[in-house]
Each structure stands twice: as structure tokens, then as C-alpha cells.
Amino acid sequence: DAKTTQPTSMDCAEGRAANLPCNHSTISGNEYVYWYRQIHSQGPQYIIHGLKNNETNEMASLIITEDRKSSTLILPHATLRDTAVYYCIRNYGGATNKLIFGTGTLLAVQP
Amino acid sequence: GAVVSQHPSRVICKSGTSVKIECRSLDFQATTMFWYRQFPKQSLMLMATSNEGSKATYEQGVEKDKFLINHASLTLSTLTVTSAHPEDSSFYICSARSGRGITEAFFGQGTRLTVV
């Protein structure tokens, strides 16, 4: 049980920001929120993770609500190569903790 | 980021034969590796957790005698699909996390197995 809820699919225009929501209302206090994406026929790629504070890296920004029940992954300027399935995963983060994938969101970036 | 290499990327085998898939962490040591299977248009399903120097832990419903996992070193885990059948055709993916602190998992590029 992935214990996160994401929309099945979303569209975004090329060059615009893509905002991908995730609901994790039962997240534990020390569980992190991880985001991965999978481009067709490839292994998943790590994007970003966070606990309480908003995070930003060269790929994306992660906005976590104050109550930590939901989060949003933001791709600031989506390109066609960002078309992928995006997975939001809650996890304790240690080396032995397995990642359980839900169904994810298929983001289609349109030209 | 760290690199996890998986080999082969594609394999076709005859029904009844066995196939071995290798997963290597190239620039870090991984005491734990994970094996997933993915069918078309579905999400990744965790099959087992591979522990260096000890037996793998299999998820419910995964046959341990059919999917043999060996994790002989801190940088190598192997998955052997024994007596493969067409229904074992799938995309197999391994991942590993480095051993310190709160870490991300790194994934191999996957192996497309086709059993004919």
C-alpha cells in the first residue's frame, strides 16, 4: 500500500510550470516525502525529497503543507523531456527502507 | 548522483531456461538492494529486498525458489529467474541506497525480459 494519492494524469504546456499534487494525509512525523519519475522504459529517476521545509534543487521544487498532509512538486519550466510518470512516495529514508510505488501521475507536456 | 548499473538491458530466453540479471552499485557500497518488476502500463512492484551476506526478504506472493537472489558483495546483487515461462516476461529493475543518513534510492536502467 503506497498510502499516497495522486491524480492519474495531467497535461502541461511546454515552458509553463507543472504543479503535481500528492496527498499523504496519514504520513508519520518522521517520514519523508520523496519524488521520483519514470520516463518510458527506463528505471526511475530521483527528483527531490523533503520532511517539513520546502526544498529546491536544479530539477524541481517541493512544497510541503504545514500540516504535512499534502505536497506539490513543481517543475518550473516544463519541457517535452519532462513527460513521464511522477511518483510521490513516503518513506523513512534509511538505507534498508524499501520504496513502495503507487500508481503515480502521468505528466504529458504538450508542445 | 550515484550510479546503479544493471545488465543485461534486454534478454530473450526460451521457456524453461534460467536467466540471470546483475545489479551493480558503481560508486558506493550498498548493503541493501531492492528488486522490482513492472508489467506494461503498471507501476513498479517490489519483489524482494536483497541483503549483503544474508538471505533475501521476499514480498508476499513472490516465489523465492523461482526468483533467486544473491547479494555476495556490497556492490553486486543478482536476480535469477529460474525455469522462466512467458508470464515471467516483464521489466525488472533494481535499486540501491547508500548506507548513511537519509538517502535517495538510485535505480538501474532496467532489464526487459522476454520469454518465448
Side-chain angles (χ1 to χ4, degrees):
Chain A
D1 182 5
K3 301 179 183 177
T4 62
T5 304
Q6 298 178 253
T8 303
S9 63
M10 293 181 64
D11 286 350
C12 176
E14 189 177 18
R16 303 297 294 268
N19 297 282
L20 293 94
C22 178
N23 181 286
H24 33 79
S25 58
T26 61
I27 195 168
S28 299
N30 51 354
E31 276 187 299
Y32 287 72
V33 178
Y34 284 80
W35 282 84
Y36 286 80
R37 72 180 183 183
Q38 185 179 27
I39 295 170
H40 182 62
S41 294
Q42 296 183 24
Q45 176 189 23
Y46 167 79
I47 301 173
I48 200 168
H49 73 278
L51 183 64
K52 296 180 182 178
N53 299 323
N54 298 336
E55 302 287 345
T56 295
N57 62 22
E58 64 278 3
M59 288 183 70
S61 294
L62 174 60
I63 308 298
I64 302 174
T65 58
E66 194 169 340
D67 62 10
R68 303 213 320 125
K69 292 185 176 182
S70 65
S71 61
T72 301
L73 178 75
I74 301 173
L75 307 179
H77 305 287
T79 70
L80 298 179
R81 283 181 288 187
D82 292 322
T83 293
V85 178
Y86 287 77
Y87 296 98
C88 166
I89 303 171
R90 40 188 281 193
N91 190 263
Y92 291 101
T96 59
N97 291 129
K98 52 193 178 185
L99 293 174
I100 303 299
F101 286 76
T103 53
T105 296
L106 173 58
L107 174 69
V109 180
Q110 308 291 345
Chain B
V3 178
V4 174
S5 177
Q6 200 171 330
H7 177 80
S9 58
R10 287 181 176 271
V11 59
I12 301 173
C13 72
K14 292 185 177 180
S15 187
T17 62
S18 296
V19 173
K20 180 184 285 188
I21 302 169
E22 292 188 349
C23 179
R24 295 181 184 273
S25 57
L26 297 186
D27 49 4
F28 66 99
Q29 294 183 331
T31 54
T32 304
M33 292 185 175
F34 306 90
W35 287 95
Y36 295 83
R37 179 168 55 179
Q38 186 175 32
F39 292 107
K41 300 188 185 301
Q42 295 186 21
S43 185
L44 284 78
M45 184 189 78
L46 180 67
M47 299 175 66
T49 301
S50 168
N51 304 297
E52 187 266 337
S54 65
K55 292 182 178 180
T57 303
Y58 290 82
E59 296 297 306
Q60 190 172 9
V62 178
E63 299 176 59
K64 62 179 181 180
D65 294 331
K66 180 166 186 63
F67 300 100
L68 300 180
I69 291 172
N70 183 276
H71 194 154
S73 76
L74 288 172
T75 59
L76 174 64
S77 176
T78 61
L79 168 68
T80 301
V81 182
T82 63
S83 186
H85 291 286
E87 57 264 31
D88 298 323
S89 298
S90 189
F91 193 51
Y92 292 86
I93 308 167
C94 70
S95 76
R97 306 177 88 151
S98 57
R100 297 183 179 182
I102 304 301
T103 65
E104 59 266 39
F106 300 98
F107 288 80
Q109 63 267 48
T111 296
R112 176 75 59 191
L113 170 63
T114 303
V115 185
V116 297

